[in-house]
Amino acid sequence: MDKEIKEMKENYDAIKIPDALDMAIQEGILRGKRKMKKSRRNKGYFKVLISAAAVFLFFVIGINTLPTFADTIRELPGGEAIVRVLQFNKDKAEGGKITDGQDIKDIDTKKNEDFERLIVDLYQGEQAANVPGHFSITYLQYPYSILVEVSGVRAFSAWDNLPDLSGKELFDDIYRLITLDDSAHRFVVTFKKPVIIEVTEQNNPAKIIIDVREDEEAEKLPAVYSLRTASFPLGEGIAAAEGILKWELASANARLLRDTDGTYFVEEGYYLTEEEALARLSEVEEYEYFDFKMFIEKREPHRTPKSIAE
């Protein structure tokens, strides 16, 4: 038994604590080691060893139940980064901290056997930022997509060199949206199929990592009726229409989208029946300060919206 205990202790002392562990877990392991050293002359040190090792085992089990997170940890250079897997509240996840002056410097993709990854690098001046500015990621449908919004960002250098998504199994398109806020930027990523999304926030250097895999159990969605404007080039006018619908006409689901021709329109919302869409159209047309002509477009969940001339 003494030999077994000695071997277990030697194996435990050999454990290298990665810098990227959650700080609470790391501190728990260190406390365990300190307690063990103080108790070496005490026959009860074996219990301390088991307790501290259990904390480490909890991390190991957790990280192995999140394969994409585990993959992220393995890729960290020297284990210098700190990562946090974000939880979705309904269809939205939020992370980062309030900051200013950042740049969405680069957006890249990576293909894994089980998932596809989008990596967003954030810079502060000429160097990688320490922590991402406050951001949100919202999963949307019609078409399957995510809206990425990042605050505290003054530049979008990645816009000039967006990744080529052709040939991807899940990623379909990526495009920027105009934002009437000079300290925020947003962009949309569309998918060819319904997906399951995992978002990881990385600090030192600051990255937003978005992993997606096919949702093979997604329910089949019906066609809907989209109440929308005509298509226009991207500009402040169409962005203002989005704001009017959202804030003055209480259209909670109003959003800016890109169509099959690469032009843009605002969708007031989508409805399960044409009658519902027509009823809402009547209400919008009664508002005298909204000058955009509205149309009703029937759309399948995986279809890119079509271009409609005014």
Side-chain angles (χ1 to χ4, degrees):
M1 175 65 75
D2 291 340
K3 182 179 179 181
E4 292 177 357
I5 292 175
K6 182 179 179 181
E7 290 179 353
M8 291 181 67
K9 176 182 174 303
E10 289 175 350
N11 291 336
Y12 177 72
D13 283 334
I15 292 173
K16 185 178 185 228
I17 301 173
D19 292 338
L21 292 184
D22 180 272
M23 299 305 291
I25 295 174
Q26 185 184 93
E27 180 60 25
I29 294 173
L30 292 174
R31 283 200 306 269
K33 280 194 169 186
R34 288 195 293 269
K35 288 181 181 179
M36 188 194 67
K37 289 178 181 178
K38 291 179 181 178
S39 306
R40 281 178 177 171
R41 296 179 182 177
N42 190 316
K43 293 182 180 180
Y45 83 87
F46 183 68
K47 293 182 180 180
V48 177
L49 173 64
I50 295 297
S51 176
V55 176
F56 182 77
L57 180 62
F58 172 80
F59 175 82
V60 172
I61 291 174
I63 200 170
N64 281 291
T65 58
L66 293 167
T68 54
F69 179 48
D71 184 71
T72 301
I73 288 288
R74 285 194 294 271
E75 292 179 359
L76 299 179
E80 296 175 356
I82 297 174
V83 297
R84 181 166 65 104
V85 177
L86 304 181
Q87 299 296 316
F88 274 82
N89 180 11
K90 294 184 179 180
D91 292 326
K92 187 173 185 178
E94 296 183 272
K97 294 183 178 180
I98 296 175
T99 184
D100 196 12
Q102 291 191 353
D103 177 15
I104 300 177
K105 186 73 171 180
D106 186 49
I107 299 177
D108 199 4
T109 60
K110 180 178 179 181
K111 179 72 172 68
N112 187 281
E113 183 179 352
D114 301 319
F115 63 91
E116 292 179 359
R117 168 171 292 176
L118 190 79
I119 306 165
V120 182
D121 290 300
L122 293 143
Y123 272 57
Q124 192 82 42
E126 297 300 318
Q127 297 183 349
N130 292 326
V131 61
H134 181 267
F135 67 91
S136 66
I137 296 175
T138 307
Y139 182 47
L140 302 166
Q141 297 168 328
Y142 300 97
Y144 300 114
S145 57
I146 53 172
L147 171 63
V148 182
E149 301 175 275
V150 190
S151 299
V153 173
R154 299 281 177 171
F156 197 150
S157 297
W159 174 243
D160 297 324
N161 190 30
L162 291 175
D164 180 11
L165 300 182
S166 62
K168 300 294 184 182
E169 181 181 349
L170 299 175
F171 289 122
D172 183 36
D173 194 11
I174 180 170
Y175 58 87
R176 182 183 181 183
L177 296 180
I178 193 166
T179 306
L180 300 180
D181 182 345
D182 61 5
S183 63
H185 285 274
R186 55 182 179 160
F187 61 91
V188 170
V189 182
T190 60
F191 307 105
K192 298 173 182 175
K193 306 173 183 179
V195 295
I196 296 172
I197 303 170
E198 181 178 286
V199 180
T200 303
E201 173 191 333
Q202 177 178 309
N203 300 339
N204 302 315
K207 297 178 185 287
I208 302 170
I209 302 170
I210 303 166
D211 293 333
V212 297
R213 67 179 188 274
E214 183 179 357
D215 186 355
E216 297 178 348
E217 298 181 357
E219 62 177 323
K220 186 176 181 179
L221 298 175
V224 295
Y225 295 86
S226 168
L227 178 58
R228 50 163 291 184
T229 68
S231 300
F232 299 91
L234 186 62
E236 292 188 0
I238 194 67
E242 179 189 21
I244 294 173
L245 285 170
K246 186 174 293 185
W247 306 117
E248 298 186 33
L249 283 163
S251 298
N253 297 317
R255 57 177 176 166
L256 186 58
L257 293 167
R258 191 165 79 172
D259 58 35
T260 51
D261 288 351
T263 49
Y264 294 78
F265 68 94
V266 176
E267 179 179 76
E268 187 277 336
Y270 56 77
Y271 302 87
L272 290 177
T273 67
E274 189 174 12
E275 288 74 19
E276 291 177 309
L278 286 168
R280 180 55 176 160
L281 172 60
S282 297
E283 296 175 351
V284 172
E285 289 179 335
E286 290 178 359
Y287 188 68
E288 61 178 320
Y289 299 108
F290 189 75
D291 298 328
F292 290 83
K293 184 178 180 180
M294 302 295 284
F295 301 83
I296 295 176
E297 175 196 4
K298 186 176 182 180
R299 189 188 309 145
E300 301 290 337
H302 61 286
R303 296 294 184 190
T304 300
K306 63 183 180 181
S307 178
I308 297 179
E310 190 173 17

